[in-house]
Amino acid sequence: MKYSVNIETVYRELPFEARFAAAKRDGFDYVEIWDWTVKDPDELAVLCREYGVEISCMGGDGPFSLCDPAHGEEYLDFLRNSLQMAQKLGCKRLAVHSNELLPEPHPYAADLFLQYSDAEKTAAMIRTLTAIAPEAEAAGVTLCLEALNVQVEHIGNFLKYTKDAAEIVSAVNSPAIKILYDAYHMYLNEGKIMETLRSYLPLIGCIHIADAPGRGEPGTGAIDYRAVLQELQTLGYDGIIAFELFPKTDSAAAVAAINAVRAGF
């Protein structure tokens, strides 16, 4: 298993450019970022080379919703730009979502999609992902579809459950379209972390970790992440596990908790 740390949520007390060195110092060969459009790609490339880290995943979608049939062409155009940027940076995964990611806390407007049924929204997602899949395959980049919790941060988000993400990924049927399984989000929405991993692991392209409730480091909530990692090892998972969490006190304490839970795996 390969471990990554999200430097948008961890090391926030440091200037952004210093977070690459901190991640490498703390034993991470991979880092995650969110919105690439607000960063200097040349600086990102230099920082990755200088500190010997790879961007494991970054945001792929922008100010458009994958589930909105009216956004299809704009979404595809933005995603093509994201694929180009991923290739430039050597990033092999892009996170995509059903809805535009809005500043938190922000309930998604309930009336935004009232004119569309759930079937129409799902069909729009499948249609767009099917259209982009050959380009993602050619680029060597995996698009990882992430369901989000609707209990705390993403009220009204359309894609809520792993089974629904799995149905969409299966319908597209491309090696470049996978699930981003976020254990924090899914603990809040559906629970059954172990059962879900066993059922859908072949479709999972990336895993996010944060404890719940609270979205802190392992040991600050109710999830037994030692058991989760043991299960993933038993299942033969050898992909990216990214710690996307908000330290409860400071980054040093959070990294200590992270390293304790991943020790031996």
Side-chain angles (χ1 to χ4, degrees):
M1 294 184 285
K2 308 173 186 71
Y3 294 100
S4 182
V5 61
N6 189 303
I7 57 174
E8 308 275 8
T9 62
V10 182
Y11 307 118
R12 287 180 298 163
E13 66 272 20
L14 299 175
F16 183 76
E17 62 275 9
R19 301 177 195 181
F20 291 79
K24 186 65 174 181
R25 176 200 67 209
D26 289 335
F28 294 100
D29 294 323
Y30 300 89
V31 298
E32 273 196 358
I33 63 172
W34 284 341
D35 184 1
W36 60 264
T37 66
V38 297
K39 298 174 176 64
D40 182 337
D42 293 326
E43 181 184 29
L44 288 174
V46 168
L47 289 167
C48 287
R49 286 196 302 270
E50 182 176 354
Y51 296 108
V53 297
E54 180 179 318
I55 298 175
S56 61
C57 186
M58 61 187 189
D61 40 20
F64 307 103
S65 292
L66 181 60
C67 68
D68 188 338
H71 285 183
E73 289 305 316
E74 292 92 341
Y75 192 98
L76 277 172
D77 288 344
F78 190 94
L79 199 47
R80 289 186 176 108
N81 289 332
S82 295
L83 284 172
Q84 291 178 358
M85 187 57 61
Q87 284 187 292
K88 177 182 177 69
L89 296 173
C91 174
K92 296 182 175 62
R93 295 162 202 84
L94 291 171
V96 295
H97 307 85
S98 62
N99 296 65
E100 175 190 358
L101 294 182
L102 299 170
E104 299 298 344
H106 195 302
Y108 291 87
D111 60 348
L112 183 60
F113 301 120
L114 281 179
Q115 67 267 44
Y116 305 122
S117 68
D118 286 358
E120 287 174 307
K121 292 178 227 177
T122 299
M125 295 175 69
I126 293 171
R127 185 165 55 247
T128 298
L129 291 174
T130 299
I132 200 67
E135 297 174 50
E137 291 176 28
V141 176
T142 301
L143 306 182
C144 297
L145 179 62
E146 183 178 20
L148 301 174
N149 89 77
V150 294
Q151 308 299 316
V152 180
E153 288 97 350
H154 301 280
I155 309 301
N157 188 70
F158 175 58
L159 188 63
K160 308 175 188 66
Y161 304 115
T162 307
K163 67 177 181 60
D164 295 332
E167 288 175 2
I168 292 167
V169 168
S170 296
V172 177
N173 192 28
S174 165
I177 311 297
K178 297 285 189 180
I179 295 168
L180 195 169
Y181 178 78
D182 189 304
Y184 162 75
H185 286 302
M186 294 302 95
Y187 175 87
L188 294 179
N189 278 0
E190 65 190 19
K192 300 181 180 178
I193 291 174
M194 301 295 210
E195 295 86 346
T196 300
L197 291 173
R198 291 172 197 145
S199 296
Y200 299 112
L201 195 65
L203 299 179
I204 292 175
C206 183
I207 294 172
H208 278 177
I209 280 180
D211 217 335
R215 207 173 183 180
E217 60 268 29
T220 59
I223 303 174
D224 182 352
Y225 274 118
R226 288 288 294 180
V228 172
L229 294 182
Q230 181 63 66
E231 182 67 17
L232 287 169
Q233 185 178 66
T234 300
L235 293 171
Y237 180 73
D238 61 358
I240 289 286
I241 296 174
F243 293 91
E244 185 189 54
L245 54 86
F246 292 89
K248 288 299 185 181
T249 55
D250 56 37
S251 295
V255 169
I258 289 169
N259 287 335
V261 81
R262 69 173 183 153
F265 294 106

